Amino acid sequence: MTHACVIEAMPKLTLHPLTPERWLDFVRLFGERGVGGGCWCMGWRLPDRQQYLQQKGDSNREAMHALVRGGCVPGLLAYDGPEPIGWCAVAPREAYPALHPVPVKPGVTSTNYAFTGFVSAFEEAGFTECLRRSKTRPIMRFYTDRAHKRLKRSGARK
């Protein structure tokens, strides 16, 4: 079964869930080192920095591969035609122990899912930075029209 959606603003861009059949595309996109010097998008999934540092590199790659082989769909690959060009991890917040606790601004209802990935891709898709934990760790949110109206009524800025 193939799942895909097309983003209207970018007619060539398609998104596909990371499944075992697409694992080699994920590896090709992340490169030999796994983006960020061995993260393999496991950084938020691990409970603490110590475990992340112990697993950095091949162990993180194998941990992600084990998730995918086990039936977990940890995110979406973006394609421009046949070429993988982007990644967005999507999972219930409970799958990201390193994100807890993430403060939620007053008037904003928290959702059950978290999305992590490359900031520039999120900005191009219409996400807004709502919090920055450090220089290199922005927290992005996507607001629907309904959410924007609710925020305006509550007096929140973002």
Side-chain angles (χ1 to χ4, degrees):
M1 178 189 218
T2 302
H3 302 303
C5 63
V6 178
I7 297 176
E8 293 177 11
M10 299 179 220
K12 291 183 184 178
L13 186 69
T14 57
L15 301 174
H16 296 274
L18 175 55
T19 59
E21 299 78 24
R22 295 191 179 273
W23 176 254
L24 292 178
D25 288 346
F26 180 73
V27 171
R28 186 170 58 182
L29 177 67
F30 272 58
E32 188 176 313
R33 296 191 53 196
V35 181
C39 181
W40 290 98
C41 214
M42 288 298 297
W44 297 112
R45 289 181 172 272
L46 302 173
D48 59 55
R49 180 102 175 121
Q50 184 62 32
Q51 185 176 350
Y52 170 75
L53 292 172
Q54 290 171 348
Q55 284 188 207
K56 200 169 177 185
D58 290 339
S59 294
N60 275 340
R61 175 182 168 160
E62 185 48 40
M64 179 59 78
H65 198 190
L67 286 172
V68 173
R69 283 191 317 262
C72 176
V73 178
L76 301 170
L77 287 165
Y79 290 81
D80 183 1
E83 188 65 29
I85 61 166
W87 164 254
C88 176
V90 181
R93 287 183 62 102
E94 297 79 34
Y96 298 117
L99 285 179
H100 295 285
V102 174
V104 177
K105 289 186 175 188
V108 177
T109 303
S110 176
T111 60
N112 294 328
Y113 280 80
F115 303 80
T116 65
F118 306 121
V119 172
S120 59
F122 279 93
E123 289 174 336
E124 287 181 28
F127 282 72
T128 303
E129 183 178 326
C130 63
L131 181 69
R132 189 169 280 266
R133 297 180 101 185
S134 72
K135 184 178 179 183
T136 60
R137 291 196 171 178
I139 306 288
M140 309 291 285
R141 284 214 172 101
F142 182 81
Y143 296 105
T144 62
D145 287 339
R146 195 170 84 195
H148 271 300
K149 289 175 187 172
R150 188 172 49 235
L151 287 173
K152 284 181 183 177
R153 282 195 308 266
S154 73
R157 288 185 284 160
K158 282 188 181 178

